[in-house]
Amino acid sequence: MKKTRMTRIFLLIASLVLLTFAGQAMAGEGAPCSASAKAEAELPIISVEDLAAALGDEGAAVAVVDVNSEQTRESEGVIEGAILITSYKDYDPAGTLPADQEQKVVFYCANMRCSASTKAAHVAVDAGYKNVQILKAGIQGWKESGK
């Protein structure tokens, strides 16, 4: 009788522990990328239309940064005047981006599924850039809209 009761208590405690950890995992608590996912959501997104308008405004200072691979650039193209970087994490913002950290800087990569632009944008934010945006549509969205 005692052994069965002890087994039941053990199973109850083990179940509670597992449910606690499962609930934390589903909520993203303690997950190594939960802070990164939150930070990604905080970066402003710019539409193709808004970027095109900003680039067409002669008074606006906008730096556009292409984070695509050379292969993607060859097959998809590049937004005219874009700064080309080859690594979203191993670039020097101070040596690559405009000196004015208040200037609008827009990062893009291939398309909506690509996250290199978001990661490169975080490097810029960490370096002190204040007006950083993401063109989530990427070069494919730019081309599809006829730009």
Side-chain angles (χ1 to χ4, degrees), residues 66-141:
D66 181 310
V67 191
N68 287 313
S69 67
E70 190 58 40
Q71 180 181 7
T72 301
R73 289 182 188 131
E74 288 175 12
S75 65
E76 301 291 338
V78 176
I79 295 176
E80 186 177 337
I83 298 167
L84 309 179
I85 61 174
T86 55
S87 172
Y88 65 83
K89 61 182 177 181
D90 294 328
Y91 76 97
D92 174 27
T96 307
L97 302 179
D100 179 5
Q101 292 187 336
E102 300 290 330
Q103 181 178 343
K104 182 185 288 191
V105 181
V106 177
F107 289 83
Y108 75 91
C109 51
N111 53 42
M112 298 286 283
R113 294 180 310 272
C114 179
S115 63
S117 57
T118 302
K119 293 173 184 176
H122 280 290
V123 172
V125 169
D126 291 346
Y129 285 82
K130 311 278 187 282
N131 193 0
V132 176
Q133 297 180 343
I134 307 295
L135 178 67
K136 280 305 270 184
I139 190 64
Q140 291 176 355

Side-chain angles (χ1 to χ4, degrees), residues 12-35:
L12 178 64
I13 292 172
S15 297
L16 289 173
V17 169
L18 286 174
L19 286 173
T20 300
F21 284 119
Q24 286 178 347
M26 290 179 73
E29 296 173 17
C33 63
S34 62

Side-chain angles (χ1 to χ4, degrees), residues 19-74:
L19 286 173
T20 300
F21 284 119
Q24 286 178 347
M26 290 179 73
E29 296 173 17
C33 63
S34 62
S36 176
K38 180 181 177 189
E40 280 187 31
E42 293 173 359
L43 286 172
I45 306 295
I46 189 168
S47 69
V48 169
E49 294 76 21
D50 288 345
L51 178 57
L55 290 173
D57 182 0
E58 292 182 25
V62 181
V64 180
V65 183
D66 181 310
V67 191
N68 287 313
S69 67
E70 190 58 40
Q71 180 181 7
T72 301
R73 289 182 188 131
E74 288 175 12

